[in-house]
Amino acid sequence: MSTTFDPIQRINDGFEQFKINEFNKDPDYYRQLAQKQQPKFLMFACSDSRVSPTNILNLRPGEAFMARNIANLVPVSNKERYSDIGAIIEYAVETLNVEVILVIGHSRCGGIERLLALPDDETSYDFLDDWVSVAEPAKQRVIAENPDASGEELQTLVEKASVLDSLKNLLSYPYVQSGIEANTLQLLGGYYDFVRGNFQILETVTV
Amino acid sequence: MATNGHTIDDAINGLKKLLSEKHDLQVVAAEKIKQLTAELEATKSDGFNPVQRIREGFDRFKKEKYETNPTLYGELAKGQSPKFLVFACSDSRVCPSHILDFQPGEAFVVRNIANMVPPYDTIKHSGAGAAIEYAVLHLKVENIVVIGHSCCGGIKGLMSIPDDGTTASDFIEQWVKIGLPAKSKVKADCSDLEYSDLCTQCEKEAVNVSLGNLLTYPFVREALVNKKLSLKGAHYDFVKGTFDLWNLDFGISPSLLS
């Protein structure tokens, strides 16, 4: 363990900064928030330390209900295998009545990189390969449509295609489907490229 | 109504004229028109425009952070080496980037309902397992922190499951049942507490259940035993404005019998 980095100090300092710069500066806002949250967004983002939507979209507390997992994947509804994802979507749509679900893909995603290294790479994982295979259809589709793509170009195409698949998979949740039909919910697909420093909206799904 | 030459028709005609004169702008224009259409499609009747909100948010981040720290963002583009894996609730009020002021690159984050870490299960819990596996084995994070919080809807849901175990939701109750050992403990130990205090105790005890569940992952145990990893529990109370932090101590002693 490194001797110079003190995680307890880092956590203590971080919370102090938050209290001084945010929490204590707007007590009315935080008091109201403590009573109830009414986020308009549910956001799916990668667990990657570089892509927190709070940072890259300058969000305030209370704006977005958040799901973060490797490669920002939304698998097809499955009560046995993906109850974590189902619970997030169910709560966000049915209880919190969010208006928008945004799925954010990003550049140099380790999860997608791993997916592209399969099946040849010999390292074996208990969980990782099975999880990232949720994006296998996106990988196959991109390769079929872009036989000459490779390296970073290929990875970017798969990162984006996976976001589009996640939007499609969201529709396998009945509450999402009926929200779209009732025009109370819309889906957005986004892509954050931290190499070039830009953010694109890839797709909109509305009624 | 053509009053000052700025009707939609004028705007479109102006664009058409420009593009007929400068063909090389057509690809860029097509992309921008696509973005604009997405933005307009997204505008709700109450004026809430999610695409605009996203765009403004990113523009602010880009101007105030990304472009003012080119060295940091240049390094981050090459790779990440966060010191923390954090489990936090999906609740919009408890993002670790806010409450612990985490900057890009500092923390690999999992967010789910009630910040639960499920036990090792390759069938039922591959998402959580993958995140822990990647963080510990590939990124070699040094600290895992599980952060519970006040007024957690997921914990409230757990506490509300009737004793016979019947559930009304599709997913939510099934998921929060990971915390059942915490519920049993607080109901037994703190039966005299008010309901809301009982929930607070359960929020903290569920963090301990999650810390215990982390130990079911062999790669976590290995890193702990080799002193390359620490496990910490935390509780953020946004009513009182406080943050609690505690350690889970774990070790395997050398042989006790010789």
Side-chain angles (χ1 to χ4, degrees):
Chain A
M1 203 123 51
S2 79
T3 47
T4 49
F5 179 73
D6 182 348
I8 297 169
Q9 194 63 50
R10 175 59 194 83
I11 288 169
N12 191 56
D13 291 346
F15 187 68
E16 281 303 303
Q17 282 304 299
F18 166 68
K19 277 216 80 179
I20 295 167
N21 295 329
E22 304 290 332
F23 193 86
N24 293 342
K25 276 206 173 145
D26 203 339
D28 288 341
Y29 183 73
Y30 284 93
R31 201 173 302 126
Q32 205 181 349
L33 217 49
Q35 296 295 317
K36 193 177 184 168
Q37 59 167 334
Q38 293 172 282
K40 292 216 198 280
F41 288 96
L42 160 61
M43 293 188 183
F44 281 85
C46 186
S47 295
D48 191 303
S49 64
R50 302 165 286 187
V51 306
S52 165
T54 293
N55 287 325
I56 69 173
L57 298 180
N58 196 45
L59 301 174
R60 278 201 92 183
E63 281 199 87
F65 199 71
M66 201 83 72
R68 289 186 70 185
N69 63 46
I70 293 212
N72 43 272
L73 298 172
V74 182
V76 169
S77 173
N78 186 319
K79 285 183 186 167
E80 212 217 336
R81 300 220 63 207
Y82 308 118
S83 58
D84 49 353
I85 308 279
I88 289 167
I89 296 171
E90 187 177 18
Y91 193 80
V93 178
E94 296 281 272
T95 304
L96 297 179
N97 301 119
V98 296
E99 298 177 22
V100 185
I101 304 180
L102 168 66
V103 178
I104 308 172
H106 74 97
S107 52
R108 306 215 168 144
C109 180
I112 300 296
E113 186 183 350
R114 177 69 192 161
L115 175 66
L116 288 172
L118 298 171
D120 300 330
D121 189 290
E122 281 173 12
T123 329
S124 101
Y125 286 99
D126 293 356
F127 295 94
L128 185 65
D129 296 344
D130 179 54
W131 173 253
V132 299
S133 297
V134 167
E136 181 71 25
K139 172 184 171 183
Q140 292 307 322
R141 196 168 72 245
V142 166
I143 290 173
E145 291 171 4
N146 306 270
D148 297 328
S150 67
E152 183 130 43
E153 188 202 345
L154 176 63
Q155 186 168 327
T156 304
L157 289 169
V158 179
E159 284 158 358
K160 292 180 178 178
S162 175
V163 169
L164 299 185
D165 275 7
S166 288
L167 295 187
K168 205 161 43 130
N169 293 344
L170 278 169
L171 296 172
S172 70
Y173 294 82
Y175 351 97
V176 175
Q177 184 65 44
S178 38
I180 302 277
E181 285 163 10
N183 198 24
T184 52
L185 187 64
Q186 58 180 295
L187 313 180
L188 295 174
Y191 184 80
Y192 169 44
D193 184 335
F194 52 58
V195 182
R196 288 169 193 75
N198 59 44
F199 191 100
Q200 276 181 278
I201 301 286
L202 300 175
E203 176 123 327
T204 322
V205 179
T206 54
V207 70
Chain B
M1 201 171 68
T3 50
N4 54 5
H6 288 165
T7 63
I8 180 69
D9 289 330
D10 291 328
I12 291 177
N13 288 333
L15 179 62
K16 277 185 181 165
K17 185 169 180 288
L18 174 68
L19 293 176
S20 69
E21 289 161 3
K22 298 193 176 171
H23 293 278
D24 52 319
L25 288 179
Q26 284 184 9
V27 173
V28 166
E31 186 52 43
K32 285 189 188 256
I33 291 168
K34 205 168 138 215
Q35 299 283 311
L36 174 63
T37 307
E39 192 177 312
L40 293 170
E41 261 176 344
T43 309
K44 304 295 304 294
S45 53
D46 65 354
F48 169 57
N49 186 329
V51 174
Q52 193 177 4
R53 173 64 192 85
I54 290 163
R55 193 131 300 297
E56 282 169 0
F58 183 75
D59 286 347
R60 191 120 180 243
F61 158 72
K62 185 158 183 197
K63 205 173 308 187
E64 292 178 11
K65 303 238 173 118
Y66 188 89
E67 285 171 346
T68 58
N69 291 289
T71 315
L72 170 67
Y73 285 94
E75 283 308 303
L76 287 178
K78 293 185 201 152
Q80 58 170 335
S81 49
K83 297 260 196 277
F84 294 96
L85 160 61
V86 173
F87 277 81
C89 185
S90 295
D91 192 300
S92 64
R93 301 165 286 191
V94 306
C95 181
S97 308
H98 283 130
I99 70 175
L100 297 181
D101 198 36
F102 278 132
Q103 298 306 306
E106 288 198 90
F108 196 74
V109 176
V110 173
R111 292 191 62 191
N112 63 40
I113 300 261
N115 42 272
M116 300 270 181
V117 182
Y120 185 109
D121 190 322
T122 53
I123 303 296
K124 284 162 69 178
H125 299 300
S126 64
I132 298 166
E133 193 171 37
Y134 189 80
V136 172
L137 291 180
H138 184 87
L139 296 177
K140 302 195 193 328
V141 297
E142 295 174 2
N143 307 277
I144 304 181
V145 189
V146 180
I147 309 175
H149 74 96
S150 51
C151 311
C152 183
I155 296 295
K156 210 167 295 176
L158 170 64
M159 294 297 285
S160 308
I161 297 174
D163 290 334
D164 65 0
T166 52
T167 56
S169 61
D170 289 340
F171 295 95
I172 298 169
E173 287 151 307
Q174 203 51 41
W175 172 254
V176 299
K177 273 183 175 179
I178 292 169
L180 267 178
K183 175 178 177 178
S184 308
K185 182 175 199 299
V186 306
K187 283 182 83 170
D189 292 355
C190 317
S191 51
D192 52 324
L193 284 184
E194 296 245 341
Y195 187 70
S196 64
D197 293 326
L198 213 58
C199 284
T200 304
Q201 285 312 307
C202 192
E203 286 156 9
K204 295 178 179 174
E205 201 50 50
V207 168
N208 290 334
V209 170
S210 286
L211 292 175
N213 285 342
L214 279 167
L215 297 176
T216 64
Y217 297 81
F219 35 85
V220 171
R221 284 203 304 278
E222 168 120 7
L224 280 171
V225 159
N226 292 331
K227 303 218 186 304
K228 300 245 186 308
L229 185 66
S230 89
L231 302 190
K232 290 174 168 52
H235 186 261
Y236 167 47
D237 187 324
F238 51 57
V239 180
K240 299 194 179 115
T242 58
F243 194 91
D244 253 340
L245 183 71
W246 60 93
N247 244 10
L248 177 80
D249 293 327
F250 176 84
I252 308 265
S253 76
S255 179
L256 298 173
L257 306 175
S258 51

